[in-house]
């Protein structure tokens, strides 16, 4: 089975298991230009062709305001797929790095970017926003909450945001990072390098290293972790 088929199969199962997509949905992918959001957009476009549910698809990018961010290749990719594309200009980078001078900028930046996406989605009549978080992200988030916050939690595959009246979905939650990387490389999906000065030097990167280490030492580590995350009697994380 090819890497793209693995990603598509994992996405289809997640969509079915959690009823992520319904008839008439208007879904916006939060497109950062990274491999995960690019793979998600590509996979959802393919899925749109044979999905039993009919849905609309578009992409939204939040431009944090980094001067060296070039979205041209991403724009060509999205337009080539025939998907409507919106870029939201913001001053998030200035707020996080210059005004607030955050020593750990990721949490604030992420909240502000999500807020900008939700606001734009509401303006465009979007019912659901899809993010490219995958299984490794879910495990890494669990590790981060344990190591740095002293609690056991991770994100959910589907979250209804009552204040925005929008549902957040994560269709790649069953897909592994390795499968996504291979799918991107084998299908010439463009990836935009993040200009963020904190990129590659975050607590999440450290948690990702733990995931890779355990996966290399423990047979079926990711499958076992997925089962633990889904088992509400043990963790109550996803339900």
């Amino acid at each position: 089975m090819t890497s793209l088929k693995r990603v598509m199969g994992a996405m289809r199962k997640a969509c079915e298991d959690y009823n992520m997509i319904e008839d008439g949905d208007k879904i916006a992918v939060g497109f950062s230009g990274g491999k995960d959001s690019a793979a998600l957009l590509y996979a959802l476009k393919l899925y749109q062709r044979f999905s039993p549910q009919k849905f609309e698809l578009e992409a939204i990018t939040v431009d944090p305001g980094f001067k060296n961010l070039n979205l041209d290749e991403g724009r060509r990719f999205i337009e080539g797929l025939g998907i409507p594309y919106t870029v939201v200009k913001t001053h998030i980078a200035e707020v996080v790095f210059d005004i607030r001078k955050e020593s750990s900028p990721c949490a604030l930046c992420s909240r502000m970017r999500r807020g900008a996406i939700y606001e734009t989605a509401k303006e465009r009549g979007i019912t659901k926003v899809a993010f490219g978080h995958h299984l490794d992200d879910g495990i890494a988030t669990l590790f981060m909450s344990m190591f740095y916050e002293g609690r056991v939690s991770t994100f959910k595959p589907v979250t209804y945001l009552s204040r925005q009246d929008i549902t957040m979905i994560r269709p790649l939650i069953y897909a592994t990072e390795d499968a996504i990387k291979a799918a991107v490389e084998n299908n010439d999906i463009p990836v935009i390098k993040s200009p963020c000065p904190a990129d590659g030097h975050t607590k999440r990167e450290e948690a990702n290293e733990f995931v890779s280490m355990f996966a290399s030492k423990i047979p079926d580590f990711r499958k076992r972790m997925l089962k633990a995350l889904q088992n509400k009697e043990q963790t109550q994380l996803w339900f």
Side-chain angles (χ1 to χ4, degrees), residues 51-117:
S51 168
Q53 296 81 28
K54 303 305 176 186
F55 62 94
E56 297 179 46
L57 184 63
E58 59 182 83
I60 298 175
T61 293
V62 173
D63 181 349
F66 293 114
K67 293 180 181 179
N68 54 341
L69 176 63
N70 188 335
L71 296 172
D72 291 347
E73 190 173 14
R75 186 181 295 278
R76 287 193 293 270
F77 166 66
I78 295 170
E79 290 176 350
L81 294 175
I83 296 173
Y85 183 38
T86 302
V87 177
V88 185
K89 298 284 188 179
T90 73
H91 299 284
I92 292 174
E94 180 182 2
V95 172
V96 172
F97 290 98
D98 299 333
I99 298 175
R100 294 281 295 268
K101 301 184 185 300
E102 293 284 327
S103 58
S104 299
C106 296
L108 177 60
C109 180
S110 179
R111 286 198 302 272
M112 294 181 72
R113 285 188 291 112
R114 286 199 304 268
I117 285 180

Side-chain angles (χ1 to χ4, degrees), residues 4 44 77 103 163 220:
L4 181 59
L44 279 174
F77 166 66
S103 58
R163 295 176 65 178
D220 295 325

Side-chain angles (χ1 to χ4, degrees), residues 25-220:
D25 276 346
K26 190 172 182 180
I27 302 173
V29 172
F31 181 80
S32 67
K35 70 180 188 321
D36 302 329
S37 62
L40 173 60
L41 190 65
Y42 188 75
L44 279 174
K45 182 61 179 179
L46 295 179
Y47 185 59
Q48 196 177 35
R49 299 175 184 175
F50 60 85
S51 168
Q53 296 81 28
K54 303 305 176 186
F55 62 94
E56 297 179 46
L57 184 63
E58 59 182 83
I60 298 175
T61 293
V62 173
D63 181 349
F66 293 114
K67 293 180 181 179
N68 54 341
L69 176 63
N70 188 335
L71 296 172
D72 291 347
E73 190 173 14
R75 186 181 295 278
R76 287 193 293 270
F77 166 66
I78 295 170
E79 290 176 350
L81 294 175
I83 296 173
Y85 183 38
T86 302
V87 177
V88 185
K89 298 284 188 179
T90 73
H91 299 284
I92 292 174
E94 180 182 2
V95 172
V96 172
F97 290 98
D98 299 333
I99 298 175
R100 294 281 295 268
K101 301 184 185 300
E102 293 284 327
S103 58
S104 299
C106 296
L108 177 60
C109 180
S110 179
R111 286 198 302 272
M112 294 181 72
R113 285 188 291 112
R114 286 199 304 268
I117 285 180
Y118 298 148
E119 182 177 347
T120 303
K122 286 295 292 182
E123 293 172 355
R124 297 188 57 79
I126 300 294
T127 55
K128 291 178 179 174
V129 175
F131 290 109
H133 302 118
H134 46 69
L135 178 56
D136 290 49
D137 287 329
I139 300 170
T141 300
L142 173 63
F143 286 171
M144 288 174 65
S145 72
M146 294 167 60
F147 299 160
Y148 300 113
E149 300 173 11
R151 62 192 182 99
V152 179
S153 70
T154 190
F155 51 68
K156 296 181 179 181
V158 178
T159 303
Y160 174 66
L161 307 168
S162 57
R163 295 176 65 178
Q164 291 86 1
D165 190 28
I166 287 177
T167 300
M168 182 202 306
I169 61 175
R170 294 178 167 99
L172 296 183
I173 196 61
Y174 287 169
T176 65
E177 184 171 28
D178 287 344
I180 291 171
K181 282 182 179 177
V184 166
E185 292 171 359
N186 295 339
N187 292 274
D188 297 322
I189 298 173
V191 175
I192 300 171
K193 180 70 172 68
S194 172
C196 175
D199 185 49
H201 305 283
T202 65
K203 291 179 179 178
R204 178 165 292 278
E205 291 298 322
E206 295 175 0
N208 288 337
E209 291 176 4
F210 278 106
V211 175
S212 298
M213 180 190 70
F214 286 129
S216 68
K217 297 179 179 296
I218 302 174
D220 295 325

